[in-house]
């Protein structure tokens, strides 16, 4: 149901797998997550953004994660929830973004003492890096289909080109949302409290 790993300075990373939770109430009862945060985690259409709760120093980040398996004619992205509290980072995952948790675990295992925000930003970078090879491959495929269309126009190739263009527009849009979130974090008062290592990611 959950993964728990130690970071540095007594901090903890907990990952909750929504697909393995028996009751959603556990998110609130066991882990103390509020209703609004749970709704974010469950909303398939939630946009990338950040919520800062000054009264309890809790920050919630929603970030778009690429689904590496194509369920449709093009790739999709799904929001993933990151919650930073005083001494713990909670991630809420599912089967579609489980690969990110595996990569985060490998990153943590290969680095010594990490602060919560150092680990968080490294994780967001891992997520962002997954987009580049997919978009590059789609761009290459688009050039190939365009080449075929110049030789002979077929319905199959026209549909293929349409799917590629739709997919590229979609991925570019969700990647832009992620970038805007990162820019928002850098302009936030919270960012000024980070040390040089945390800002360097």
């Amino acid at each position: 149901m959950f993964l728990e790993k130690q970071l540095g300075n007594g901090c903890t990373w907990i990952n909750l797998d929504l697909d393995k939770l028996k009751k959603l109430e556990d998110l609130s009862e066991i882990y103390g997550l509020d209703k609004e945060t749970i709704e974010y985690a469950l909303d398939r259409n939630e946009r990338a953004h950040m919520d800062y709760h000054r009264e309890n120093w809790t920050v919630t980040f929603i970030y778009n994660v690429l689904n590496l398996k194509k369920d449709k004619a093009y790739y999709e992205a799904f929001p993933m929830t990151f919650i930073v509290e005083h001494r713990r980072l909670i991630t809420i995952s599912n089967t579609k973004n489980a690969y990110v948790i595996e990569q985060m675990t490998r990153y943590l295992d290969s680095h010594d003492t990490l602060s919560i925000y150092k680990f968080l930003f490294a994780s967001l970078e891992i997520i962002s890096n997954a987009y580049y090879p997919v978009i590059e491959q789609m761009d290459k495929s688009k050039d190939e289909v365009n080449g075929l269309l110049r030789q002979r126009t077929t319905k199959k190739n026209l549909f293929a080109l349409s799917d590629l263009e739709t997919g590229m527009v979609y991925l570019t849009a969700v990647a832009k949302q992620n970038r805007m979130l990162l820019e928002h974090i850098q302009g936030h008062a919270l960012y000024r409290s980070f040390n040089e290592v945390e800002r360097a990611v």
Side-chain angles (χ1 to χ4, degrees):
M1 184 173 77
F2 72 95
L3 166 77
E4 185 170 339
K5 294 271 192 179
Q6 293 302 309
L7 301 174
N9 301 317
C11 296
T12 306
W13 167 41
I14 298 172
N15 179 65
L16 305 175
D17 186 338
L18 277 180
D19 295 328
K20 294 180 181 176
L21 276 177
K22 293 178 181 176
K23 296 188 302 179
L24 290 177
E25 291 81 3
D26 288 347
L27 292 176
S28 177
E29 293 172 8
I30 300 175
Y31 302 103
L33 302 182
D34 61 39
K35 183 180 177 183
E36 185 180 24
T37 301
I38 295 170
E39 287 175 353
Y40 283 156
L42 295 176
D43 189 350
R44 163 69 183 84
N45 299 310
E46 193 66 46
R47 294 171 62 89
H49 70 277
M50 161 187 170
D51 280 330
Y52 178 50
H53 301 280
R54 190 184 301 274
E55 62 280 357
N56 60 5
W57 294 85
T58 298
V59 192
T60 301
F61 301 90
I62 309 294
Y63 208 70
N64 294 315
V65 176
L66 182 65
N67 180 7
L68 296 180
K69 295 180 180 178
K70 284 199 293 186
D71 293 331
K72 298 181 179 179
Y74 52 87
Y75 290 92
E76 291 186 287
F78 293 86
M80 183 169 169
T81 305
F82 296 79
I83 304 155
V84 179
E85 297 176 333
H86 180 56
R87 290 204 169 272
R88 69 179 184 176
L89 167 67
I90 297 177
T91 53
I92 301 177
S93 66
N94 55 49
T95 53
K96 295 183 185 298
N97 52 34
Y99 75 95
V100 173
I101 303 305
E102 293 172 5
Q103 292 179 345
M104 288 172 66
T105 301
R106 285 199 297 271
Y107 181 88
L108 183 58
D109 290 343
S110 64
H111 290 77
D112 292 328
T113 306
L114 290 170
S115 73
I116 285 179
Y117 279 103
K118 169 69 176 175
F119 183 51
L120 169 69
F121 292 140
S123 302
L124 298 185
E125 185 176 23
I126 287 169
I127 293 169
S128 297
N129 288 342
Y131 284 82
Y132 302 124
V134 172
I135 292 175
E136 284 176 8
Q137 181 57 50
M138 291 173 73
D139 197 40
K140 183 179 177 183
S141 298
K142 183 181 168 187
D143 290 341
E144 291 172 357
V145 173
N146 272 322
L148 292 172
L149 283 169
R150 279 193 288 271
Q151 296 172 23
R152 181 167 174 251
T153 302
T154 65
K155 189 180 291 187
K156 178 184 176 182
N157 286 336
L158 285 172
F159 280 131
L161 182 62
S162 175
D163 287 339
L164 284 166
E165 288 179 339
T166 300
M168 288 180 72
V169 168
Y170 170 77
L171 287 188
T172 302
V174 294
K176 183 178 179 182
Q177 282 183 27
N178 284 349
R179 190 181 75 242
M180 289 174 67
L181 170 59
L182 294 175
E183 290 172 354
H184 176 67
I185 294 170
Q186 289 179 329
H188 197 276
L190 180 70
Y191 187 76
R192 291 194 286 275
S193 69
F194 299 160
N195 60 39
E196 289 183 13
V197 174
E198 292 167 334
R199 293 186 188 192
V201 177

